[in-house]
Amino acid sequence: MIASPLLWLLLGPAPAPAPPQAVVIATPRGETSVPVTTERGSAAVAAPLLAQPLELKVALDGSRVLVSLGGAAFVFQLGAPFVRAGGVVYGLVGEPYTARDTVFLPLNWLADCVPRALGPRYRWDPAAARLEELPVAGPVVVTPPGIVPHPAPPPPAGPRASPASPSSLPLPSPASPAAASTAAAPHPVSGLRFRHTVVVDPGHGGADPGNPGRYFPGGLVEKDITLKIARLLRAELGLRGVAASLTRATDTLVALADRGAFCRADCDLFVSIHVNAMPPGRRADRTSGVETYFLSDAKTEDQQRVANMENDAIRFESFAPAVGVKGPIDFILKDLQLNEYLRESAQLAQLVQRRMADVHPGGDRGVQQAGFMVLTTARRPAILVEAGFATNPTDGAFLASGFGEHKIASAIADGIVKYLQDFERKSTVAGPSGGGGGTR
């Protein structure tokens, strides 16, 4: 009789079991059979086919795939055999990919990673190729850094202002009795209870390229970087339960005075994204780091230099801005509103700057103040982020990388959410009578 080790050497290892042709999704809502494909060599399932039985949400964000399931968020990278959830990275058998405008997820994620990450809620039966959703007392929350599930926001308390007349309605306050009546259960991760809207402004665009990006590869310029970061920031805020809109979603020019006007009746905060640059000189490529501005008089020559650089974009505008100071009364009202939100803007800038400094390789240049035209028409707390220096090789490479852009967007989103958390906490302590106009 041949010894078993010798038999193994002669015959070789047993072949891996063939993947199932379909998996069964069993939930309290019923059972669904989902086909399995091996067109890329490893077993995978089409994400849209999981949406209804698992109440799964999926979003394609550049090369990332964001999946919300069972109160947890999973972050995939197209073409990479891993997934991140709750701060843990799981290896995958196979890679997520897209085909025919459809996202496909490795079967291994469904069979192994989901039960491991959400053990109390899901169980995999390998013999039956069956994923079963188990009843639990409450939602199971797994919190990866900077990523949270994306429930649909509750409806606003009243009618929205027409886009054609952003100032036609009174300024709402989340602390007002009307807004308090719309408070929902806390967001699973951020804990926010109210509906919040942020306007994100990608600097420059169209005929205005911004600074030329001395250390950006492939002909990229500032307007390209700001748009990519802004799109990622919108996605990151959405995943945290905060609605966000962009002043421009494509390579187009928007007047400086019109950008802030997007943040009026149905808006809590305004965030403008830019890239810094030093003028030619001996220290041009040695200056690096991130800084965040709020609207006030410049106190230093460098603050004034940055404001002049960004305000110079007005030379590309061949049309009159739709919103501006029309007369003495309008000027007085604008001045009062700017002063009203000065403290809140400074607080927001501090929170955003603190989180960006934690992830930025160039260092912390602190919170600054200067007279940016783009911030003057916002009727809410407003900040301008200088995300790094295109004239510095380290900053330039970081800003032009998908990794760096994700880091910056996530950090800004974290700062915004912290500001909104603090605001809601103060509003709750103050009660309805302590509310006022805007996010005060």
Side-chain angles (χ1 to χ4, degrees):
M1 182 176 179
I2 303 175
S4 56
L6 182 56
L7 180 62
W8 186 90
L9 288 172
L10 292 173
L11 300 180
Q21 294 183 344
V23 295
V24 176
I25 308 297
T27 74
R29 300 173 295 280
E31 291 192 4
T32 304
S33 179
V34 177
V36 174
T37 179
T38 56
E39 63 180 333
R40 296 289 179 93
S42 57
V45 291
L49 298 181
L50 301 173
Q52 191 277 330
L54 287 176
E55 297 184 340
L56 174 145
K57 295 182 177 64
V58 60
L60 184 61
D61 180 17
S63 62
R64 291 200 310 173
V65 180
L66 311 176
V67 173
S68 174
L69 170 64
F74 295 85
V75 183
F76 298 83
Q77 192 79 23
L78 291 176
F82 62 83
V83 62
R84 177 165 60 90
V88 178
V89 177
Y90 299 93
L92 297 172
V93 178
E95 304 168 349
Y97 62 91
T98 59
R100 301 174 297 281
D101 296 326
T102 300
V103 174
F104 287 83
L105 303 175
L107 176 61
N108 170 247
W109 167 72
L110 204 62
D112 181 56
C113 300
V114 168
R116 288 168 62 189
L118 300 170
R121 185 158 185 177
Y122 295 96
R123 180 174 60 199
W124 174 257
D125 181 353
R130 173 188 173 98
L131 182 70
E132 183 178 2
E133 180 182 335
L134 306 173
V136 292
V140 179
V141 177
V142 178
T143 314
I147 300 292
V148 299
H150 179 21
R160 298 172 63 96
S162 167
S165 55
S167 59
S168 59
L169 293 181
L171 303 180
S173 167
S176 67
S181 67
T182 67
H187 187 274
V189 173
S190 69
L192 295 173
R193 301 179 64 94
F194 294 101
R195 181 185 186 275
H196 297 285
T197 301
V198 175
V199 171
V200 180
D201 171 46
H204 308 279
D208 174 15
N211 75 68
R214 177 178 176 186
Y215 288 104
F216 291 156
L220 292 174
V221 292
E222 181 180 3
K223 67 176 181 178
D224 304 315
I225 302 298
T226 61
L227 182 56
K228 289 197 287 186
I229 293 175
R231 286 170 173 169
L232 291 170
L233 176 56
R234 177 177 59 182
E236 293 287 349
L237 288 170
L239 291 168
R240 289 160 172 78
V242 178
S245 60
L246 303 182
T247 58
R248 67 177 182 96
T250 59
D251 183 17
T252 188
L253 181 64
V254 180
L256 289 177
D258 289 346
R259 293 174 183 249
F262 279 80
C263 186
R264 288 202 164 193
D266 190 21
C267 172
D268 293 293
L269 306 171
F270 179 82
V271 179
S272 190
I273 311 295
H274 290 261
V275 176
N276 217 331
M278 290 297 294
R282 288 187 302 171
R283 70 186 188 102
D285 61 354
R286 286 183 280 177
T287 303
S288 65
V290 62
E291 54 193 15
T292 307
Y293 283 81
F294 64 93
L295 181 64
S296 190
D297 293 332
K299 301 297 184 183
T300 68
E301 289 185 6
D302 195 59
Q303 291 175 349
Q304 189 61 53
R305 174 192 65 80
V306 177
N308 291 342
M309 178 179 66
E310 302 299 358
N311 291 342
D312 187 54
I314 197 171
R315 64 191 173 92
F316 293 96
E317 300 173 15
S318 59
F319 46 87
V323 179
V325 177
K326 303 179 183 64
I329 294 179
D330 190 68
F331 179 84
I332 293 171
L333 290 174
K334 180 173 74 68
D335 185 62
L336 288 173
Q337 288 169 323
L338 292 179
N339 287 327
E340 179 182 7
Y341 296 121
L342 181 64
R343 182 182 62 184
E344 287 78 4
S345 297
Q347 178 188 356
L348 173 63
Q350 186 67 49
L351 293 170
V352 168
Q353 176 67 22
R354 188 179 304 160
R355 280 154 179 79
M356 285 198 300
D358 289 340
V359 304
H360 201 285
D364 182 2
R365 292 177 59 85
V367 172
Q368 313 287 343
Q369 60 187 69
F372 292 96
M373 291 180 62
V374 72
L375 301 182
T376 59
T377 50
R379 296 297 184 258
R380 292 292 184 270
I383 60 173
L384 184 145
V385 173
E386 292 285 358
F389 283 79
T391 46
N392 176 270
T394 301
D395 282 15
F398 184 72
L399 291 170
S401 70
F403 173 81
E405 289 155 3
H406 280 116
K407 283 284 189 181
I408 292 170
S410 182
I412 297 174
D414 285 343
I416 290 172
V417 168
K418 181 62 169 65
Y419 173 89
L420 294 173
Q421 288 171 338
D422 291 346
F423 163 71
E424 287 193 355
R425 183 165 54 251
K426 288 185 290 187
S427 299
T428 301
V429 172
S433 61
T439 52
R440 288 189 295 175

Short mmCIF file of all heavy atoms in Angstrom, two decimals, residues 199 201 247 255-264 270 373-379:
data_model
loop_
_atom_site.label_atom_id
_atom_site.label_comp_id
_atom_site.label_asym_id
_atom_site.label_seq_id
_atom_site.Cartn_x
_atom_site.Cartn_y
_atom_site.Cartn_z
N VAL A 199 -22.26 73.24 -0.51
CA VAL A 199 -21.89 73.58 -1.87
C VAL A 199 -20.37 73.52 -1.99
O VAL A 199 -19.65 74.18 -1.22
CB VAL A 199 -22.40 74.98 -2.27
CG1 VAL A 199 -21.82 75.40 -3.62
CG2 VAL A 199 -23.93 74.97 -2.35
N ASP A 201 -17.09 74.08 -4.40
CA ASP A 201 -16.70 74.89 -5.55
C ASP A 201 -15.32 74.48 -6.06
O ASP A 201 -14.31 74.80 -5.42
CB ASP A 201 -16.70 76.37 -5.15
CG ASP A 201 -16.10 77.26 -6.23
OD1 ASP A 201 -16.49 77.07 -7.41
OD2 ASP A 201 -15.27 78.12 -5.90
N THR A 247 -20.49 73.72 -7.86
CA THR A 247 -20.74 74.92 -8.66
C THR A 247 -20.45 74.65 -10.13
O THR A 247 -21.00 75.31 -11.00
CB THR A 247 -19.88 76.09 -8.17
OG1 THR A 247 -18.49 75.71 -8.24
CG2 THR A 247 -20.22 76.46 -6.74
N ALA A 255 -18.56 82.55 -13.00
CA ALA A 255 -18.10 83.83 -12.46
C ALA A 255 -17.84 83.72 -10.96
O ALA A 255 -18.57 83.02 -10.23
CB ALA A 255 -19.14 84.91 -12.73
N LEU A 256 -16.82 84.42 -10.49
CA LEU A 256 -16.47 84.36 -9.07
C LEU A 256 -17.65 84.77 -8.19
O LEU A 256 -17.93 84.14 -7.17
CB LEU A 256 -15.28 85.29 -8.79
CG LEU A 256 -13.92 84.84 -9.33
CD1 LEU A 256 -12.87 85.90 -9.04
CD2 LEU A 256 -13.52 83.51 -8.73
N ALA A 257 -18.34 85.84 -8.56
CA ALA A 257 -19.45 86.33 -7.75
C ALA A 257 -20.63 85.37 -7.75
O ALA A 257 -21.43 85.37 -6.82
CB ALA A 257 -19.90 87.70 -8.23
N ASP A 258 -20.75 84.56 -8.81
CA ASP A 258 -21.87 83.63 -8.90
C ASP A 258 -21.64 82.35 -8.11
O ASP A 258 -22.60 81.65 -7.75
CB ASP A 258 -22.15 83.27 -10.36
CG ASP A 258 -22.75 84.43 -11.14
OD1 ASP A 258 -23.19 85.40 -10.48
OD2 ASP A 258 -22.77 84.37 -12.37
N ARG A 259 -20.39 82.01 -7.85
CA ARG A 259 -20.10 80.73 -7.19
C ARG A 259 -20.66 80.70 -5.76
O ARG A 259 -21.34 79.77 -5.37
CB ARG A 259 -18.59 80.48 -7.20
CG ARG A 259 -18.02 80.24 -8.59
CD ARG A 259 -16.51 80.14 -8.58
NE ARG A 259 -15.97 79.98 -9.92
CZ ARG A 259 -15.40 78.88 -10.39
NH1 ARG A 259 -15.28 77.82 -9.62
NH2 ARG A 259 -14.94 78.83 -11.62
N GLY A 260 -20.34 81.74 -4.99
CA GLY A 260 -20.84 81.78 -3.63
C GLY A 260 -22.35 81.88 -3.56
O GLY A 260 -22.97 81.45 -2.59
N ALA A 261 -22.97 82.44 -4.60
CA ALA A 261 -24.43 82.58 -4.62
C ALA A 261 -25.15 81.24 -4.69
O ALA A 261 -26.34 81.16 -4.42
CB ALA A 261 -24.85 83.45 -5.81
N PHE A 262 -24.43 80.18 -5.06
CA PHE A 262 -25.04 78.85 -5.00
C PHE A 262 -25.40 78.48 -3.56
O PHE A 262 -26.26 77.63 -3.34
CB PHE A 262 -24.07 77.80 -5.56
CG PHE A 262 -24.04 77.71 -7.06
CD1 PHE A 262 -23.31 78.61 -7.81
CD2 PHE A 262 -24.74 76.72 -7.72
CE1 PHE A 262 -23.26 78.53 -9.19
CE2 PHE A 262 -24.71 76.64 -9.11
CZ PHE A 262 -23.97 77.55 -9.84
N CYS A 263 -24.70 79.07 -2.60
CA CYS A 263 -24.93 78.73 -1.19
C CYS A 263 -25.75 79.83 -0.54
O CYS A 263 -25.22 80.76 0.06
CB CYS A 263 -23.59 78.55 -0.46
SG CYS A 263 -23.77 77.97 1.24
N ARG A 264 -27.06 79.67 -0.67
CA ARG A 264 -27.96 80.66 -0.09
C ARG A 264 -29.10 79.99 0.66
O ARG A 264 -28.92 79.49 1.76
CB ARG A 264 -28.47 81.61 -1.16
CG ARG A 264 -27.36 82.56 -1.64
CD ARG A 264 -27.93 83.81 -2.26
NE ARG A 264 -26.90 84.83 -2.35
CZ ARG A 264 -27.15 86.09 -2.63
NH1 ARG A 264 -28.39 86.48 -2.83
NH2 ARG A 264 -26.18 86.97 -2.70
N PHE A 270 -20.21 76.54 2.47
CA PHE A 270 -19.61 76.72 1.15
C PHE A 270 -18.11 76.44 1.26
O PHE A 270 -17.43 77.01 2.12
CB PHE A 270 -19.85 78.13 0.64
CG PHE A 270 -19.25 78.44 -0.70
CD1 PHE A 270 -19.91 78.07 -1.87
CD2 PHE A 270 -18.03 79.09 -0.81
CE1 PHE A 270 -19.37 78.35 -3.11
CE2 PHE A 270 -17.48 79.38 -2.05
CZ PHE A 270 -18.16 79.01 -3.21
N MET A 373 -12.86 87.02 -3.44
CA MET A 373 -14.13 87.39 -4.07
C MET A 373 -15.12 86.23 -4.08
O MET A 373 -16.32 86.41 -3.93
CB MET A 373 -13.89 87.87 -5.50
CG MET A 373 -13.15 89.19 -5.61
SD MET A 373 -12.90 89.69 -7.33
CE MET A 373 -14.60 89.84 -7.88
N VAL A 374 -14.61 85.00 -4.26
CA VAL A 374 -15.50 83.86 -4.38
C VAL A 374 -16.28 83.61 -3.09
O VAL A 374 -17.35 82.99 -3.12
CB VAL A 374 -14.69 82.61 -4.79
CG1 VAL A 374 -13.82 82.12 -3.63
CG2 VAL A 374 -15.60 81.49 -5.27
N LEU A 375 -15.78 84.09 -1.96
CA LEU A 375 -16.46 83.87 -0.68
C LEU A 375 -17.43 84.98 -0.32
O LEU A 375 -18.24 84.81 0.59
CB LEU A 375 -15.43 83.73 0.45
CG LEU A 375 -14.38 82.61 0.32
CD1 LEU A 375 -13.47 82.59 1.55
CD2 LEU A 375 -15.06 81.25 0.16
N THR A 376 -17.37 86.11 -1.01
CA THR A 376 -18.16 87.27 -0.58
C THR A 376 -19.65 87.10 -0.77
O THR A 376 -20.43 87.75 -0.06
CB THR A 376 -17.70 88.53 -1.33
OG1 THR A 376 -17.87 88.33 -2.74
CG2 THR A 376 -16.26 88.86 -1.01
N THR A 377 -20.09 86.26 -1.71
CA THR A 377 -21.52 86.14 -1.97
C THR A 377 -22.15 84.93 -1.30
O THR A 377 -23.36 84.72 -1.44
CB THR A 377 -21.79 86.07 -3.49
OG1 THR A 377 -20.94 85.08 -4.07
CG2 THR A 377 -21.51 87.42 -4.14
N ALA A 378 -21.36 84.14 -0.59
CA ALA A 378 -21.94 83.01 0.15
C ALA A 378 -22.67 83.54 1.37
O ALA A 378 -22.16 84.40 2.09
CB ALA A 378 -20.85 82.03 0.56
N ARG A 379 -23.86 83.05 1.61
CA ARG A 379 -24.66 83.52 2.74
C ARG A 379 -24.64 82.49 3.87
O ARG A 379 -25.61 82.33 4.60
CB ARG A 379 -26.09 83.81 2.29
CG ARG A 379 -26.20 84.95 1.29
CD ARG A 379 -25.73 86.27 1.93
NE ARG A 379 -25.92 87.39 1.01
CZ ARG A 379 -24.96 87.93 0.31
NH1 ARG A 379 -23.72 87.45 0.38
NH2 ARG A 379 -25.21 88.97 -0.48
#
